[in-house]
Amino acid sequence: MTLADPWVGRSIRRVEDPALVRGDGRYVGDVAIGMETARFIRSTSPTGVIRSIDGPCYTAADLDAAGLGEIEAVIHRPDFVNVRQPLLARDRVRYVGEPIAVVVGRSPEEAEDLAEQVIVELDPDDEALVHPGNGDTNAVIEAQFATEDIEEALDHADHLVEVVLTSHRQAALPLETRGATSEFDRRTGRLAIHASTQAPHIVRTAVADLLRIPEADIQVVAPDVGGGFGQKLPLAREDVVVAWLALQRRGSVAWIEDRSENLTASWHSRDQVYRVKGGFSADGDLLAIDAEISCDVGAWSCYPVTWGVEPLMAMGEMSGPYKVGNYRVRTRGESSFTCPVAPYRGVSRPVITASLERLMDTAARHLQMDPVEIRRRNLVTDFPYTSVTGVVHDAGTYVESLDAAVEYFDLEEFRNRQAESRTKDGPLLGVGISTFAERTGYGTLVFATRAMGVTLGYETVTMTMDPSGYVEAAIGASPHGQGLKTTLAQVIADQLAIDASQIRIVHGDTDRTPYGWGTFASRSMVIAGGAVHIAAGHLRDRLAQVAGAVLEANADDIVFAAGRAVVAGTDVGIPIAELARIAHHHTERLEPGTPSGLAVEGSYDPAGTFSNACHIAEVEVDPETGATTVTRFVVVEDAGRLINPMIVDGQVRGGVTQGIANALFEEVVYDDDGNILTSTLMDYLPPTAAEIPDIEIRHLETITDATITGAKGLGEGGTIGAPAAVLNAISDALSHLDLAVNEMPATPERVRALIRTHEEAVR
């Protein structure tokens, strides 16, 4: 490769990695060394009325006396129940792990000792409602959407096929647990907060509001963040309390969550049941979808996206990548005496996709059709396509990715092996297909339709070139392991015709970056990438002005290549680094009115774009134990222009791994009394490398005009598609027994129980 070759499309190594590999990364735990330590006293009961709290601690009464506010996550719609959340439990506890009080010690050990001295007495609480005073129900949001002719379409369908799918809740399980430090500067009166967060600007705004101090008095820094997956997007009550403690004590206070706290008291995910009915023609055309969706959203709403995020996404995107003209969805979110639920990689879409793909396989079996053919008949083929709920799909390859995956996988060869294995009483082999479309990179217009108290969306970048010709781009997005520094540098390098090593990406520091919404929802490459593309274009224009003045040419005639600005059609040029020096140190050489320096800004706020993919999973099921092994996994995906194919593949593999975990392994379990049974990694089962096969990836590239870079988001796609493929594969393996799996995770116990029902029936 030479400097003249495009940077976009290269699999260059991530610039983020060397420091992490050397052990030179800086995490919140590193910042916390030497600070006073906060330790939270948490409820060991799912319910109870707080009778007394005794010991060397701070309680809700102390926060109330200081005039602190309460967290309020709002959706402005009549079916939403708004509840204000105290920073520490005030009168009642509502889940195991809820923070009741906090102690501060000079060291972690002293904090542990102090925590053991705190005695909390709870009286029994027979209240069945999580939040009394909001009617006689625990429903916190109930919404529905229906087309006018839905009943007629269902009545006239040749076949009605129904699937009931259950997804049990998971934990995000980031390698680095949550944590925050807060340091009060007595000279300036400012707070410096370091937090393991995906959205530092949101943290700053919320902390300032709740502590009732100016945002200008707070700096929030997200240093290296060891994974988030959505769990570190919502505001943590603990972060606010730690900030208040630093103010009270006029010093430095740290809180680092342990693994048990993370599993017990950090945001959980996706506790949902979908009842989906499809009306099909005799030829297998999907005429109508009728769905009822129930989401357990836990005890409290999460700020800023609220506990409506999963039910409402399920309602709006239930049709997936399929052509559906008639549609009815009723969705309901219910609070419970469990840990609150927040967005987790993919939000509701893994369950949406699993429901639809199980519906397609079930319908194919019912109609005696090929599962590939029934999908091919119903996938969207004409773009742009507006779904029945008004969501616009830009150009994609829904059928093409299906066909490419099936051809690459070689289904015919698999069916021969499957049949042979059954005749020899070998392991039960199965194959499962999952097709889906992932809505990515959407801005304020989409978020505005959700009517939240905070409208998210746009991203802004400020970009400067210093006198040496190096570029610094400060972004509002805040990555936590995705390789965004590398990919954004590639976009900028192409725009300015410089080496990517001359570019620095600054993020995660509210003192140094423009206001932004952080990193989540497969948005950063699309929106932050668009913003840096625009800003780099502005910077190129400024450099062209300088070059025009120096080279005595029209700025419009300046072209950039291989680190030089050249007059088009000539060999007259000047190095870009020399232009940078002139722009800063010799402004007398420029035309009158030319701005000094090289500082620009770019903002981007797109309507969004759709990635799409097809996943195929091959499994072996042991009929004696019910254990499932994923033996092969194929992905054919289309995420538009690939900025860095190596990073893309890493995102896909990580997402598929989490999707397989959803399908087979991970489950947060509560007993009937609301006590959590999976509070350690002895009980909660994430997969290891031994359980994940080599993930075979093939790419299609639809260069969309819905984004300025042609790129689409893909961070959540692996997690969205994989569970459906695995469930379909297990069901295929059991199909000769007339069994199907519609519950995840499909643990050995659950699969074995299904097989046992068949064995008992044939005795």
Side-chain angles (χ1 to χ4, degrees):
M1 289 286 185
T2 68
L3 187 57
D5 295 317
W7 285 95
V8 168
R10 294 196 208 179
S11 291
I12 66 171
R13 293 183 177 181
R14 295 176 8 143
V15 299
E16 296 91 335
D17 290 346
L20 301 178
V21 172
R22 292 193 305 266
D24 294 332
R26 183 169 170 80
Y27 296 87
V28 170
D30 298 307
V31 181
I33 294 173
M35 292 186 177
E36 289 192 308
T37 299
R39 186 72 179 168
F40 286 88
I41 289 81
R42 300 182 182 275
S43 175
T44 57
S45 173
T47 63
V49 176
I50 299 174
R51 184 169 69 186
S52 64
I53 305 172
D54 294 315
C57 62
Y58 299 92
T59 68
D62 298 300
L63 306 186
D64 291 342
L68 270 62
E70 296 177 314
I71 299 171
E72 189 171 11
V74 179
I75 299 181
H76 299 294
R77 49 185 296 152
D79 52 29
F80 181 81
V81 174
N82 182 37
V83 175
R84 297 168 65 91
Q85 180 185 21
L87 297 171
L88 295 172
R90 183 179 290 119
D91 302 313
R92 304 170 65 206
V93 295
R94 291 172 169 84
Y95 63 96
V96 172
E98 181 161 24
I100 299 173
V102 62
V103 299
V104 181
R106 289 169 294 182
S107 66
E109 295 78 12
E110 183 178 77
E112 289 283 357
D113 291 342
L114 291 171
E116 291 179 0
Q117 298 174 33
V118 178
I119 299 174
V120 178
E121 294 192 18
L122 301 177
D123 287 334
D125 186 2
D126 297 326
E127 177 60 67
L129 299 178
V130 181
H131 297 286
N134 292 298
D136 59 354
T137 176
N138 279 323
V140 291
I141 186 165
E142 294 184 86
Q144 61 180 345
F145 178 94
T147 55
E148 185 176 349
D149 298 327
I150 179 65
E151 287 292 351
E152 181 180 355
L154 292 169
D155 289 342
H156 287 84
D158 295 303
H159 302 275
L160 293 178
V161 179
E162 186 173 65
V163 167
V164 179
L165 188 132
T166 300
S167 176
H168 296 288
R169 63 170 62 192
Q170 286 178 272
L173 207 69
L175 190 61
E176 178 200 25
T177 59
R178 296 182 303 161
T181 69
S182 190
E183 184 173 5
F184 177 72
D185 188 325
R186 297 188 183 192
R187 182 179 65 86
T188 64
R190 299 186 79 214
L191 276 177
I193 298 171
H194 285 73
S196 188
T197 178
Q198 296 170 224
H201 284 279
I202 291 176
V203 171
R204 186 183 69 165
T205 295
V207 171
D209 288 348
L210 293 165
L211 268 55
R212 309 195 191 286
I213 62 177
E215 279 196 56
D217 287 347
I218 300 175
Q219 176 193 21
V220 175
V221 177
D224 290 320
V225 176
F229 311 117
Q231 188 182 80
K232 295 175 182 177
L233 172 63
L235 176 70
R237 301 159 85 171
E238 295 89 346
D239 289 359
V240 185
V241 174
V242 167
W244 177 76
L245 289 169
L247 285 177
Q248 286 293 109
R249 302 171 76 85
R250 296 177 62 80
S252 302
V253 180
W255 162 67
I256 306 295
E257 183 181 59
D258 65 30
R259 182 58 65 187
S260 181
E261 285 180 294
N262 183 263
L263 286 166
T264 303
S266 289
W267 311 98
H268 289 165
S269 70
R270 289 197 287 269
D271 194 345
Q272 304 178 353
V273 178
Y274 285 47
R275 183 180 297 274
V276 182
K277 183 186 299 182
F280 290 85
S281 73
D283 294 329
D285 293 327
L286 179 58
L287 306 176
I289 288 177
D290 188 17
E292 293 186 5
I293 298 167
S294 176
C295 303
D296 184 331
V297 294
W300 295 103
S301 193
C302 59
Y303 179 91
V305 293
T306 82
W307 50 28
V309 60
E310 290 200 338
L312 295 180
M313 176 176 282
M315 181 179 70
E317 300 190 19
M318 190 67 222
S319 58
Y322 295 108
K323 297 172 287 189
V324 182
N326 296 283
Y327 182 87
R328 180 171 60 201
V329 176
R330 296 168 295 278
T331 186
R332 175 186 177 102
E334 291 197 52
S335 58
S336 65
F337 293 104
T338 60
C339 179
V341 166
Y344 171 57
R345 196 173 191 173
V347 195
S348 284
R349 287 168 293 184
V351 195
I352 293 171
T353 301
S355 300
L356 278 176
E357 296 305 289
R358 287 297 305 126
L359 181 70
M360 284 297 173
D361 268 22
T362 304
R365 185 170 176 79
H366 180 80
L367 275 67
Q368 297 184 330
M369 288 185 66
D370 180 0
V372 175
E373 181 56 30
I374 198 170
R375 287 173 170 82
R376 192 182 285 120
R377 291 186 68 90
N378 290 290
L379 286 167
V380 173
T381 54
D382 297 324
F383 299 96
Y385 172 80
T386 302
S387 77
V388 67
T389 56
V391 177
V392 177
H393 294 236
D394 58 317
T397 51
Y398 298 2
V399 171
E400 294 86 347
S401 62
L402 169 66
D403 289 343
V406 168
E407 180 180 2
Y408 176 78
F409 183 83
D410 195 348
L411 269 178
E412 183 178 353
E413 183 275 337
F414 169 80
R415 291 300 182 197
N416 292 333
R417 284 192 291 113
Q418 182 184 47
E420 182 181 358
S421 181
R422 285 177 179 174
T423 62
K424 296 181 178 179
D425 293 327
L428 304 179
L429 306 186
V431 64
I433 298 171
S434 169
T435 57
F436 66 94
E438 178 192 2
R439 195 180 192 186
T440 72
Y442 42 89
T444 56
L445 288 178
V446 174
F447 278 107
T449 64
R450 299 182 182 180
M452 298 189 306
V454 178
T455 301
L456 317 176
Y458 63 87
E459 286 296 337
T460 300
V461 59
T462 57
M463 187 177 296
T464 59
M465 179 177 279
D466 65 27
S468 68
Y470 275 67
V471 172
E472 180 178 280
I475 62 173
S478 187
H480 43 282
Q482 297 91 331
L484 195 59
K485 282 186 177 181
T486 304
T487 51
L488 293 184
Q490 289 177 259
V491 172
I492 296 167
D494 274 353
Q495 285 288 87
L496 299 178
I498 61 176
D499 195 282
S501 65
Q502 295 175 249
I503 299 161
R504 302 288 182 267
I505 306 297
V506 177
H507 64 82
D509 184 341
T510 60
D511 274 6
R512 294 200 60 197
T513 60
Y515 203 96
W517 299 108
T519 296
F520 57 94
S522 302
R523 70 189 299 271
S524 294
M525 191 59 243
V526 173
I527 305 185
V532 300
H533 185 278
I534 290 168
H538 295 330
L539 182 54
R540 187 183 61 238
D541 292 343
R542 290 281 292 277
L543 287 167
Q545 282 184 289
V546 177
V550 173
L551 300 175
E552 298 182 347
N554 191 308
D556 293 337
D557 293 330
I558 301 298
V559 295
F560 294 87
R564 291 174 57 81
V566 179
V567 179
T570 76
D571 59 359
V572 176
I574 185 173
I576 291 173
E578 190 173 335
L579 286 180
R581 184 76 63 175
I582 292 168
H584 286 280
H585 293 176
H586 294 286
T587 55
E588 77 280 358
R589 298 178 61 181
L590 307 181
E591 295 289 338
T594 301
S596 59
L598 294 169
V600 296
E601 180 176 288
S603 291
Y604 192 49
D605 192 5
T609 178
F610 274 85
S611 297
N612 66 269
C614 178
H615 291 186
I616 300 183
E618 179 183 322
V619 303
E620 291 183 0
V621 178
D622 184 338
E624 298 299 321
T625 65
T628 298
T629 302
V630 182
T631 54
R632 190 180 179 198
F633 205 100
V634 169
V635 175
V636 174
E637 66 80 39
D638 186 344
R641 177 171 284 118
L642 303 184
I643 307 300
N644 185 313
M646 180 183 67
I647 289 177
V648 167
D649 286 354
Q651 287 286 303
V652 171
R653 289 192 169 95
V656 168
T657 299
Q658 287 184 293
I660 292 173
N662 190 180
L664 294 178
F665 300 104
E666 296 185 15
E667 180 181 0
V668 173
V669 180
Y670 285 90
D671 67 17
D672 292 340
D673 296 323
N675 298 301
I676 191 166
L677 305 180
T678 47
S679 59
T680 74
L681 289 177
M682 292 290 290
D683 311 301
Y684 188 84
L685 185 64
T688 69
E691 286 77 47
I692 305 300
D694 179 43
I695 298 165
E696 304 164 54
I697 303 171
R698 295 294 181 270
H699 299 289
L700 303 177
E701 279 191 284
T702 300
I703 309 302
T704 180
D705 59 5
T707 73
I708 196 169
T709 61
K712 303 179 176 188
L714 55 73
E716 297 176 300
T719 309
I720 292 169
V726 173
L727 289 187
N728 278 341
I730 300 172
S731 297
D732 181 62
L734 303 179
S735 60
H736 65 298
L737 307 178
D738 200 26
L739 299 174
V741 176
N742 292 316
E743 185 174 8
M744 54 186 182
T747 60
E749 293 82 3
R750 290 183 176 125
V751 174
R752 179 60 195 145
L754 278 174
I755 295 172
R756 189 178 299 114
T757 61
H758 169 77
E759 293 171 342
E760 292 172 351
V762 298
R763 281 176 185 165

